[in-house]
Amino acid sequence: MIPFVAKRLWNGFLTLAALATLTFFVMRLAPGGPFSRNRKISPEVQANIEAAFHLDEPVYQQFARYIWGILRGDLGPSTRFRDYSVNDLIAAGLPTSLTIGFWAILVAALVGIALGLAGALRRNGWTDYAAGAVGVIGIAIPIFIIGPLMQAYFSVYLGWLPVGGWNDGWRSLILPVLVLALPNIAYISRLTRSSTIEVLRENHVRTARAKGIGPARVLLGHAMTGALLPVIAYLGPASAALITGSILIETVFALPGIGRFFVDAALNRDYPLVMGITLVYGGFLIIFNIMTDLVRGWLDPRIRHEG
Amino acid sequence: MDCETPLTQMNTNLLSLHDLSVHFAHGGGQTTVVDRVSLTLGAGEVLGIVGESGSGKSQLLFALMGLLASNGNATGHALFDGQDLLSLPTKALDRVRGASLSMIFQDPMTALNPYKRIGDQLAEGLIHHQGLPRAAALAEASRMLDRVRIPDAPRAARRYPHEFSGGMRQRVMIAMALLVKPKLLLADEPTTALDVTIQAQVLDLMLEIAHETGTAIILVTHDLGVVARICDRVAVLYGGRIMEEGPAETMLSDPRHPYARGLLATTPRLEAAITPRLPTIPGAPRSGGAMLPSCPFAPRCSDKMPACDHMPPLRDIGPERRLACHLEPAP
Ligand SMILES: Nc1ncnc2c1ncn2[C@@H]1O[C@H](COP(=O)(O)OP(=O)(O)OP(=O)(O)O)[C@@H](O)[C@H]1O
Ligand SMILES: [Mg+2]
């Protein structure tokens, strides 16, 4: 188990390093810079600003500065929000994104797995049809349509919940979490349903039934592990994507998360902020992938022993 | 127990099957793969079931265990220990299977749970049915693993199935099925996964443990040598029907059904403990169709006659011997 974990941590570190390098150079390749505007500014001012952000240095020096900053946990200054560092901005936006993402993935996992199991155990029962309907709606209708529809109904028509914003405590959470969870509920329930049906047909589940230990134990003790492994494999990367903020959700519901900062930063060529958010996302993705691998290794000895 | 049906009252056998059939539904139609099988088995007896691939041997055993696929259903009666296995609700069936009735499955590579230590998989039945504490059950399990000659049993009990070879897994299956000291063991080709040189050894081991606990066995096999060596009685299955049935000794030395004769004629040395798979008989095995009125073997039979358009009933043709063929005149 220790080499198994160590190997994954090392791989994660390498991936993150590659990601940092790649984002740095891809950003430099794009034409224009943070301060190339249509508006004319005097060459002296331009030079001053560039010097302040070290843009006058040779690229390798900028790169070294950037990497050294990352190693110290400093992502540099933002070029768009000049009074703030990238660290400040991420610290301001991340909690919102994390909160929404956390609840969305929790709701999606619990509801999705429950619906999927119910569907697999009572095929063609009403829960199966209900889950199927949720699946079609959740996958076929995009967030930017279902979001405004829900706002129109629950917020404008019924007046139960705020239309958007982040100032109404838990009530601000409900709609974004629901809308974000819905496509994932759909996907997870379908995944759970099909993998459960498949596992229930496996020979070792038949062996378990032959032991006379009862349907509940057969399901929980023997079928569940195999049925959930694919779901866990999906949940890892999906969690990383959800908790680091959905650009669409944060736009539709006017939420101050890092997804919106990212759009803003990309549109304004705010290199440090784009790179910072990319790294945060990459970091979360790597951490969640490692966690996924650990859980799968813990559940499946064959994965664990493979190393 | 339940002594209301006359069938039960008359019966002193451990297991008696009356017209057991297995049907599979598919696409609006229905296939019959086990067709009106009637058999009896006394306590401690060893019954061999032989027949080529697809003749319904495994489905017959699955029907008894309540393990048919979801599109399958069994009709008829299977009285075991005074209860009709085919009409028991799941809850009552779960008190029987894994306790007084257990099964060794055909494919050891996939029959064990890959996510659980084998010790736990063995102990589970003891904990559930006999209420043993976990530690005691694990100790029993590793003792049983030792008995089926798994090296370093206490350590092996902490391993997972993928760490064992096919042969070792089959021993684990045997240990698992016998650990609960069942009254009846259904063994579906329990030695096919094993090296030919140790098949006999493992089979003897299984038999030895079964004898100690007075366990009766239904042994499905392709191996007539094995039948000759260890079975008290043998039933020949073809196309889901019993063609001939009787004491192993007399049946193997004097088979009456053309199919049984064909099987034996093409088996070179019966004395040899180890023979490969069943010899081939010209023609293709009948694939399960609707319940045909004709004898399923007729298309391949060299002694076919007009009467074969109607399947003859299984009738007595001598001491404990039964045959379903028009060749033998009624006594
Ligand atoms: N779920 C199912 N639906 C339809 N037909 C099935 C199903 N399961 C098994 N069968 C059919 O039942 C027949 C008997 O199968 P069975 O497994 O009992 O054969 P067998 O005698 O055990 O053969 P083998 O020696 O190869 O194990 C086969 O023709 C098979 O195709
Ligand atoms: Mg079989």
Side-chain angles (χ1 to χ4, degrees):
Chain A
M1 201 70 191
I2 288 168
F4 178 82
V5 177
K7 188 174 155 193
R8 271 151 186 82
L9 286 174
W10 174 241
N11 284 345
F13 173 75
L14 290 183
T15 316
L16 206 54
L19 183 68
T21 311
L22 208 66
T23 39
F24 180 87
F25 286 104
V26 167
M27 289 306 289
R28 305 292 131 157
L29 281 180
F35 305 109
S36 45
R37 290 284 154 78
N38 297 334
R39 185 160 53 94
K40 287 237 167 16
I41 37 176
S42 68
E44 296 84 49
V45 175
Q46 176 87 12
N48 271 345
I49 295 174
E50 294 202 341
F53 287 93
H54 304 286
L55 293 170
D56 54 342
E57 291 173 357
V59 170
Y60 71 88
Q61 214 171 328
Q62 290 184 34
F63 182 62
R65 183 182 299 282
Y66 168 65
I67 295 294
W68 175 235
I70 293 175
L71 290 177
R72 284 175 305 148
D74 176 7
L75 296 167
S78 164
T79 58
R80 161 124 168 98
F81 306 96
R82 287 203 207 146
D83 295 333
Y84 299 93
S85 71
V86 172
N87 286 31
D88 293 337
L89 292 171
I90 289 177
L94 199 55
T96 308
S97 300
L98 282 183
T99 310
I100 294 169
F102 170 79
W103 289 110
I105 201 74
L106 194 70
V107 169
L110 292 180
V111 177
I113 290 174
L115 280 180
L117 277 180
L121 295 181
R122 288 201 205 293
R123 271 199 272 171
N124 307 324
W126 69 266
T127 35
D128 198 14
Y129 289 121
V134 172
V136 171
I137 293 170
I139 288 174
I141 306 182
I143 283 179
F144 59 82
I145 290 179
I146 206 146
L149 280 179
M150 300 243 287
Q151 284 171 324
Y153 188 69
F154 290 105
S155 311
V156 180
Y157 179 68
L158 292 175
W160 289 354
L161 298 164
V163 177
W166 196 235
N167 305 319
D168 292 87
W170 61 271
R171 287 159 34 109
S172 295
L173 265 176
I174 291 183
L175 283 184
V177 164
L178 271 186
V179 173
L180 193 53
L182 194 62
N184 286 283
I185 291 176
Y187 192 77
I188 292 170
S189 72
R190 280 162 36 142
L191 195 60
T192 308
R193 180 181 188 272
S194 64
S195 71
T196 306
I197 288 174
E198 201 171 305
V199 167
L200 286 176
R201 281 201 206 109
E202 275 176 15
N203 281 350
H204 75 84
V205 173
R206 184 179 62 200
T207 308
R209 284 198 281 148
K211 286 185 190 169
I213 50 177
R217 277 196 200 205
V218 169
L219 182 69
L220 297 174
H222 291 271
M224 206 58 156
T225 315
L228 286 187
L229 276 169
V231 180
I232 288 163
Y234 168 76
L235 275 179
S239 306
L242 287 201
I243 67 168
T244 45
S246 155
I247 294 166
L248 273 174
I249 288 285
E250 291 176 8
T251 309
V252 169
F253 291 98
L255 298 167
I258 58 171
R260 280 183 74 205
F261 281 135
F262 189 80
V263 180
D264 226 24
L267 291 177
N268 291 290
R269 299 201 190 90
D270 188 344
Y271 294 170
L273 188 51
V274 169
M275 291 190 293
I277 294 177
T278 309
L279 276 188
V280 167
Y281 175 66
F284 272 108
L285 193 60
I286 288 163
I287 290 169
F288 274 92
N289 272 332
I290 293 175
M291 288 190 346
T292 308
D293 270 5
L294 291 185
V295 174
R296 290 174 62 229
W298 173 62
L299 288 175
D300 189 343
R302 290 169 300 183
I303 296 177
R304 185 162 75 230
H305 293 165
E306 240 170 52
Chain B
M1 291 231 154
D2 174 24
C3 289
E4 266 153 45
T5 63
L7 280 173
T8 328
Q9 278 171 349
M10 285 158 50
N11 218 301
T12 54
N13 288 307
L14 177 64
L15 177 75
S16 55
L17 311 183
H18 300 271
D19 282 341
L20 189 153
S21 301
V22 174
H23 317 278
F24 285 109
H26 52 79
Q30 175 168 290
T31 322
T32 302
V33 301
V34 174
D35 193 356
R36 285 161 285 170
V37 164
S38 298
L39 273 176
T40 58
L41 188 73
E45 229 182 339
V46 180
L47 168 72
I49 295 186
V50 296
E52 57 197 274
S53 195
S55 54
K57 308 180 299 290
S58 297
Q59 302 308 323
L60 174 62
L61 301 190
F62 288 161
L64 300 180
M65 294 289 289
L67 294 175
L68 289 174
S70 55
N71 64 330
N73 91 299
T75 56
H77 299 278
L79 294 173
F80 172 70
D81 226 11
Q83 286 175 296
D84 188 351
L85 294 174
L86 302 189
S87 57
L88 280 183
T90 312
K91 220 172 187 166
L93 186 61
D94 274 336
R95 279 193 287 273
V96 176
R97 53 184 181 181
S100 54
L101 174 66
S102 64
M103 177 157 177
I104 298 170
F105 293 93
Q106 199 170 353
D107 182 7
M109 297 310 281
T110 57
L112 292 166
N113 185 335
Y115 312 114
K116 285 179 99 126
R117 297 177 199 278
I118 60 163
D120 288 328
Q121 299 192 45
L122 259 71
E124 190 173 20
L126 289 179
I127 295 170
H128 183 81
H129 291 290
Q130 300 175 14
L132 253 62
R134 182 159 180 271
L138 280 172
E140 287 265 314
S142 91
R143 209 169 309 138
M144 192 50 123
L145 289 173
D146 192 49
R147 283 223 55 190
V148 295
R149 309 242 171 88
I150 287 182
D152 198 2
R155 182 99 68 81
R158 298 190 42 79
R159 297 229 162 89
Y160 293 91
H162 74 274
E163 299 174 83
F164 293 85
S165 68
M168 283 295 154
R169 289 188 220 184
Q170 191 61 291
R171 288 168 194 250
V172 172
M173 283 296 308
I174 292 172
M176 189 152 96
L178 285 169
L179 186 61
V180 291
K181 301 191 174 74
K183 289 184 184 166
L184 174 59
L185 171 69
L186 308 176
D188 195 354
E189 307 197 37
T191 55
T192 36
L194 300 176
D195 201 318
V196 182
T197 51
I198 52 168
Q199 284 187 359
Q201 183 210 332
V202 171
L203 216 53
D204 286 341
L205 212 53
M206 183 184 96
L207 222 61
E208 185 189 311
I209 302 170
H211 275 317
E212 278 169 25
T213 49
T215 300
I217 301 177
I218 296 183
L219 176 72
V220 166
T221 178
H222 279 106
D223 190 334
L224 291 173
V226 164
V227 173
R229 211 157 53 79
I230 70 173
C231 293
D232 301 314
R233 287 190 305 132
V234 55
V236 175
L237 210 60
Y238 187 89
R241 300 205 64 143
I242 293 184
M243 293 292 158
E244 189 170 359
E245 193 245 308
E249 222 169 288
T250 53
M251 253 203 61
L252 291 174
S253 57
D254 177 25
R256 302 288 173 81
H257 195 283
Y259 176 63
R261 270 193 236 149
L263 285 181
L264 284 159
T266 40
T267 304
R269 287 169 301 120
L270 205 51
E271 312 78 53
I274 296 138
T275 34
R277 303 228 117 204
L278 268 192
T280 45
I281 293 173
R286 182 189 89 147
S287 56
M291 268 200 239
L292 296 172
S294 63
C295 170
F297 186 62
R300 294 168 74 189
C301 185
S302 51
D303 297 307
K304 187 176 185 251
M305 54 179 101
C308 297
D309 285 344
H310 296 280
M311 177 76 194
L314 198 60
R315 54 201 169 75
D316 295 336
I317 54 159
E320 295 189 53
R321 291 198 59 174
R322 296 184 302 153
L323 174 72
C325 186
H326 292 295
L327 270 185
E328 200 84 9

